[in-house]
Amino acid sequence: MENQNKVSLGGMDGLESREKEMKMANQRTAKSRELLVRLLAFVLTFAAAILLGVNKQTKVVPFQLTATLPPINVPVTAKWHYLSAFVYFVASNAIACSYAALSILLLFTSKGENNIFPKMIIILDTLMVALVFSSNGAATAIALMGYKGNSHVQWKEVCSVFGKFCDHGAVAIGLSQLGALAFLLLVLMSALRSNKRSSNY
């Protein structure tokens, strides 16, 4: 009888240890997924900030003073910091990539379920989503103005002149949009993880 009790208790201990191992494996998998998405967010926002931050193009543009005089060729330079929307874009992507690097470090240093870091990271991830999406909207509005102009206020499109500048800006906006989606994915992953925790209690 005692032997049967020992065997059944031994079986329970084995089951509990197996459950514990499964839980640890799931946590490691979730942590590695989160690390991968954070690295992706870092790379995309870093690339977007650098690409637009070094974006500059100089063209010689003919400028007609009067109809009777020949046009004067004037060198004109397009730089990202001439437009406040692009300044906001570069600054917000720089903030987002710095935060992504910092959050990767916090991910490695935080241990335990009752730690304050996971809650703080969820809030900061949400802020990054808002920051990067808003800067993308501002930069996209200016980029569309460059591509199409605005006939209501007599603004001509400039991308036919500054094609390289506009193309680099469009690529930077695309990379930043993917970075914002990566931050949004992090928020969704955190929400699902906290939902699983609350359902376990």
Side-chain angles (χ1 to χ4, degrees):
M1 193 76 160
E2 283 179 30
N3 288 341
Q4 284 180 338
N5 286 339
K6 282 180 185 175
V7 168
S8 64
L9 284 175
M12 292 295 281
D13 287 341
L15 185 62
E16 284 176 9
S17 67
R18 229 178 283 135
E19 283 179 11
K20 203 179 243 185
E21 285 173 17
M22 290 282 287
K23 189 176 179 184
M24 292 289 283
N26 286 341
Q27 284 176 347
R28 277 194 298 270
T29 304
K31 210 168 190 177
S32 61
R33 274 192 212 127
E34 185 177 350
L35 176 66
L36 184 68
V37 176
R38 281 191 191 284
L39 279 171
L40 184 65
F42 168 77
V43 168
L44 290 168
T45 53
F46 181 76
I50 293 295
L51 188 60
L52 194 60
V54 299
N55 197 6
K56 174 177 127 175
Q57 185 179 10
T58 302
K59 282 283 201 164
V60 176
V61 179
F63 185 67
Q64 186 90 34
L65 289 172
T66 62
T68 57
L69 293 173
I72 301 169
N73 290 330
V74 180
V76 181
T77 303
K79 292 182 180 178
W80 65 274
H81 58 83
Y82 291 165
L83 297 161
S84 57
F86 285 167
V87 172
Y88 175 49
F89 178 88
V90 171
S92 64
N93 276 282
I95 290 167
C97 80
S98 301
Y99 163 72
L102 182 66
S103 67
I104 289 169
L105 291 175
L106 289 175
L107 187 69
F108 282 117
T109 59
S110 68
K111 292 198 171 38
E113 301 252 339
N114 297 326
N115 207 338
I116 190 94
F117 286 134
K119 291 172 186 152
M120 184 179 72
I121 284 179
I122 291 170
I123 293 167
L124 290 173
D125 283 347
T126 307
L127 284 174
M128 290 305 117
V129 169
L131 180 69
V132 178
F133 270 126
S134 68
S135 72
N136 289 346
T140 301
I142 291 299
L144 284 174
M145 198 78 71
Y147 275 108
K148 298 191 177 214
N150 189 330
S151 59
H152 300 294
V153 291
Q154 301 303 316
W155 287 346
K156 305 272 190 238
E157 58 89 18
V158 294
C159 285
S160 58
V161 178
F162 298 104
K164 187 183 89 161
F165 181 82
C166 292
D167 291 343
H168 285 186
V171 171
I173 292 169
L175 290 172
S176 181
Q177 194 69 20
L178 291 172
L181 289 172
F183 279 114
L184 182 62
L185 182 61
L186 286 168
V187 170
L188 292 173
M189 287 166 65
S190 297
L192 287 172
R193 197 167 46 247
S194 64
N195 187 32
K196 278 183 184 175
R197 277 192 205 130
S198 62
S199 65
N200 286 342
Y201 290 122

